[in-house]
């Protein structure tokens, strides 16, 4: 067994804004990073609801979509919706758009056979502006919303601080609001290799307003991103679903004629996907989009059916912050776990990723993911164990301060690979067995 214990720092020049982030935030704290998800589901008004009381049959042949959806639509906050043992056929996504609900399966199998045209059209944030987003259908879709579509102009925001100064009236914002500080591209580089420019994409940081005094916002998290001072970002207010739990299901995809997922969360806070088994998805087993303090743990996701661009993921995180993917088992995917666009301060820990033979088992995707920790994972048989910086000219760079530590990487072509202009990646004490080309490249 070969071990690594090194600090890898890129030697290319970095922007002054990124340098400010380096000086004000201790990168070694990444190795101690941990999140505790708030447990607020149990309450005095806790109510048990059984989907069979709404007419669900669970025989694998009867379409139970309407019965399940009507149970959720009638549920009050604090309810636990139970799925007794059975095979529940659904033909469109089950939507959860309210907070403080638990969906709990007890030996329950969800057979997802979506009919054509069930994409969910959302309004998200892209390049510092509100933008349409199409979410592939999933068996369970937990959806909040973007509340302020035009955002609030910022006067100043400094990495390493917990304060934001607005340019304009802040009366639409209040203490307790979940916000995204979002910046756009600082000039698109069409041919980055020839230009020699360092290029960060779609800067995002998600946090909660703790205090508000006039146009000064005090936020709950230290701002760990140095925004481009030329294209000053804006603040967008979210209306998230909170404290939703999905646990104890087996989800089987019966029709992959269009991109399909098992579980999809968008604009969610303090929510959990746990002890769910998913197989035969094309897009991803579990996806989260603009989520905060959410946890994906103790799930099993196997057998992607598509291994092409944008599909074939076990667990996918996109533009999410302070989230955890922990103790999951993932087998036979293009990427077992992918941190897609603009994730920050997330933890990928204790997962087992097997047989990702076409691409990276754990992929930090080259779309400005920063301050994430990949720790204590086991990777068995794949092309590349862990990649930072995506690949090719499609993706650009990640960083600063993604930390890769204490992982076991076995039987891969390459153990860890740092690509493109990714900066300040910390690599420490990883174990390598039977790496064909290089442990670290």
């Amino acid at each position: 067994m070969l071990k690594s214990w090194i600090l890898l720092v890129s030697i290319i020049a970095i922007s002054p804004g990124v340098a400010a982030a380096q000086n004000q935030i201790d990168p070694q704290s990444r190795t101690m990073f941990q999140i505790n998800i708030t447990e607020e589901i149990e309450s005095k008004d806790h109510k048990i609801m059984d989907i069979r009381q709404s007419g669900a049959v669970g025989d694998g042949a009867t379409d139970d979509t309407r019965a399940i959806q009507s149970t959720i639509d009638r549920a009050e906050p604090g309810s636990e919706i139970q799925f007794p043992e059975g095979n529940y056929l659904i033909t469109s996504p089950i939507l959860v758009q309210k907070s403080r609900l638990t969906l709990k399966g007890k030996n329950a199998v969800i057979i997802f056979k979506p009919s054509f045209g069930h994409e969910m059209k959302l309004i998200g944030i892209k390049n510092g502006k509100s933008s349409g987003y199409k979410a592939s259908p999933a068996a369970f879709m937990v959806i909040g919303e973007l509340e302020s579509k035009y955002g609030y102009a910022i006067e100043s925001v400094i990495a390493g601080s917990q304060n934001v100064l607005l340019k304009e009236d802040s009366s639409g914002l209040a203490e307790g609001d979940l916000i995204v500080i979002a910046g756009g591209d600082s000039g698109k580089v069409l041919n980055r290799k020839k230009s020699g420019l360092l290029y960060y994409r779609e800067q995002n940081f998600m946090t909660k307003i703790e205090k508000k005094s006039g146009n000064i916002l005090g936020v709950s998290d230290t701002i760990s991103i140095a925004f481009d001072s030329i294209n000053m970002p804006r603040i967008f207010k979210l209306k998230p679903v909170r404290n939703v739990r999905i646990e104890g299901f087996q989800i089987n995809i019966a029709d992959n004629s269009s991109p399909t997922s098992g579980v999809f969360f968008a604009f969610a806070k303090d929510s959990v996907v746990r002890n769910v088994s998913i197989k035969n998805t094309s897009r991803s087993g579990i996806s989260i989009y603009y989520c905060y303090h959410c946890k994906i743990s103790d799930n099993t996701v196997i057998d992607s059916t598509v291994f092409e661009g944008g599909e074939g993921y076990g667990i996918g995180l996109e533009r999410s912050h302070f989230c955890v993917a922990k103790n999951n088992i993932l087998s036979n995917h293009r990427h077992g776990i992918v941190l897609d666009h603009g994730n920050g301060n997330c933890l990928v820990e204790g997962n087992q990723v097997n047989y990702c033979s076409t691409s990276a088992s754990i992929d930090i995707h080259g779309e400005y993911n920063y301050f994430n920790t990949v720790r204590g994972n086991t990777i068995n048989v794949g092309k590349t164990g862990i990649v930072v910086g995506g690949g090719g000219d499609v993706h650009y760079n990640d960083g600063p301060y993604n930390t890769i530590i204490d992982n076991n990487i076995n039987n891969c072509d390459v153990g860890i690979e740092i690509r493109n202009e990714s900066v300040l990646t910390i690599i420490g004490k990883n174990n390598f067995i039977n790496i064909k080309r290089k442990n670290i490249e």
Side-chain angles (χ1 to χ4, degrees):
M1 178 181 293
L2 297 176
K3 298 183 179 181
S4 71
W5 180 252
I6 65 171
L7 175 66
L8 178 66
V9 180
S10 66
I11 59 174
I12 61 174
I14 59 176
S15 69
V18 176
Q22 297 164 25
N23 293 334
Q24 297 180 50
I25 303 171
D26 176 16
Q28 296 296 344
S29 65
R30 296 301 90 198
T31 62
M32 302 301 294
F33 179 64
Q34 183 64 55
I35 291 175
N36 294 314
I37 300 300
T38 306
E39 303 281 352
E40 294 182 358
I41 295 298
E42 299 290 342
S43 64
K44 292 180 180 179
D45 59 350
H46 184 69
K47 181 179 179 181
I48 302 295
M49 302 179 72
D50 188 323
I51 61 169
R52 292 176 300 186
Q53 295 173 351
S54 299
V57 178
D59 62 2
T62 303
D63 188 347
D64 288 322
T65 310
R66 184 173 296 181
I68 296 170
Q69 189 65 60
S70 67
T71 306
I72 292 170
D73 293 344
R74 290 185 291 107
E76 298 175 354
S79 297
E80 179 181 298
I81 300 168
Q82 294 187 347
F83 291 65
E85 184 172 358
N87 298 305
Y88 299 95
L89 174 65
I90 60 172
T91 54
S92 62
I94 301 302
L95 296 179
V96 179
Q97 296 178 290
K98 58 180 71 174
S99 296
R100 293 182 54 239
L101 292 181
T102 295
L103 278 61
K104 182 174 287 188
K106 297 185 175 181
N107 296 318
V109 178
I110 304 296
I111 303 169
F112 186 33
K113 191 175 182 180
S115 55
F116 180 75
H118 280 298
E119 273 188 340
M120 177 68 70
K121 295 181 180 179
L122 308 173
I123 300 296
I125 307 166
K126 184 176 181 180
N127 295 333
K129 301 177 182 178
S130 60
S131 176
Y133 178 86
K134 292 181 180 179
S136 302
F140 293 111
M141 302 190 79
V142 179
I143 309 290
E145 63 181 292
L146 176 67
E147 189 166 296
S148 58
K149 296 180 181 178
Y150 300 102
Y152 296 81
I154 293 175
E155 179 71 33
S156 67
V157 54
I158 300 172
S161 74
Q162 289 181 259
N163 292 303
V164 181
L165 176 63
L166 295 183
K167 277 185 178 180
E168 58 187 270
D169 177 52
S170 64
S171 58
L173 298 170
E175 293 178 3
D177 283 346
L178 185 63
I179 59 170
V180 176
I181 306 172
D185 292 350
S186 55
K188 186 161 186 177
V189 179
L190 296 178
N191 191 330
R192 58 174 182 77
K193 288 185 177 179
K194 289 185 179 179
S195 70
L197 296 177
L198 184 65
Y199 178 53
Y200 290 132
R201 295 188 71 183
E202 295 192 43
Q203 299 171 307
N204 296 286
F205 184 78
M206 189 180 297
T207 186
K208 184 176 70 172
I209 299 175
E210 291 283 357
K211 295 180 181 179
K212 181 171 175 283
S213 177
N215 281 6
I216 300 175
L217 306 178
V219 298
S220 59
D221 306 290
T222 300
I223 298 166
S224 54
I225 177 174
F227 286 95
D228 186 338
S229 60
I230 298 174
N231 300 303
M232 188 58 69
R234 299 178 71 84
I235 281 182
F236 293 84
K237 178 182 173 182
L238 304 184
K239 186 178 180 181
V241 286
R242 303 168 186 261
N243 303 105
V244 172
R245 306 174 75 85
I246 295 178
E247 56 183 299
F249 292 95
Q250 179 178 323
I251 300 173
N252 298 334
I253 308 300
D255 184 356
N256 284 293
S257 57
S258 61
T260 310
S261 298
V263 178
F264 175 78
F265 277 33
F267 307 118
K269 178 179 181 293
D270 295 320
S271 295
V272 174
V273 182
R274 182 169 62 191
N275 193 26
V276 174
S277 176
I278 303 171
K279 64 179 182 179
N280 296 332
T281 60
S282 55
R283 170 64 175 149
S284 63
I286 301 169
S287 288
I288 66 172
Y289 175 77
Y290 274 117
C291 291
Y292 176 82
H293 273 218
C294 290
K295 190 172 186 178
I296 304 168
S297 69
D298 304 291
N299 304 287
T300 300
V301 185
I302 63 172
D303 294 341
S304 288
T305 60
V306 178
F307 288 79
E308 297 174 357
E311 298 183 82
Y313 304 156
I315 295 173
L317 285 70
E318 185 171 356
R319 298 173 173 91
S320 292
H321 301 260
F322 299 96
C323 291
V324 172
K326 186 172 183 178
N327 297 341
N328 302 283
I329 298 174
L330 308 122
S331 296
N332 194 29
H333 303 289
R334 180 166 167 261
H335 299 303
I337 300 174
V338 59
L339 275 63
D340 209 327
H341 296 71
N343 300 277
N345 298 279
C346 291
L347 174 64
V348 177
E349 181 179 48
N351 302 282
Q352 181 176 313
V353 185
N354 308 311
Y355 308 115
C356 295
S357 57
T358 62
S359 197
S361 298
I362 297 176
D363 184 30
I364 303 179
H365 209 46
E367 304 289 350
Y368 195 33
N369 299 280
Y370 61 93
F371 271 87
N372 301 288
T373 296
V374 179
R375 179 176 66 199
N377 302 280
T378 297
I379 296 170
N380 297 308
V381 186
K383 184 176 181 181
T384 305
I386 300 170
V387 162
V388 178
D393 286 334
V394 176
H395 305 287
Y396 296 85
N397 54 4
D398 291 303
Y401 295 133
N402 293 297
T403 298
I404 303 171
I405 187 171
D406 288 331
N407 300 283
N408 298 302
I409 304 174
N410 310 315
N411 294 293
C412 294
D413 292 345
V414 176
I416 298 170
E417 187 172 352
I418 311 300
R419 296 177 178 170
N420 299 324
E421 298 92 350
S422 295
V423 297
L424 295 166
T425 304
I426 300 169
I427 303 177
K429 202 180 72 172
N430 298 278
N431 301 319
F432 302 94
I433 299 177
N434 294 332
I435 303 301
K436 296 177 184 178
R437 197 165 77 224
K438 285 186 180 180
N439 291 343
I440 300 173
E441 187 170 71

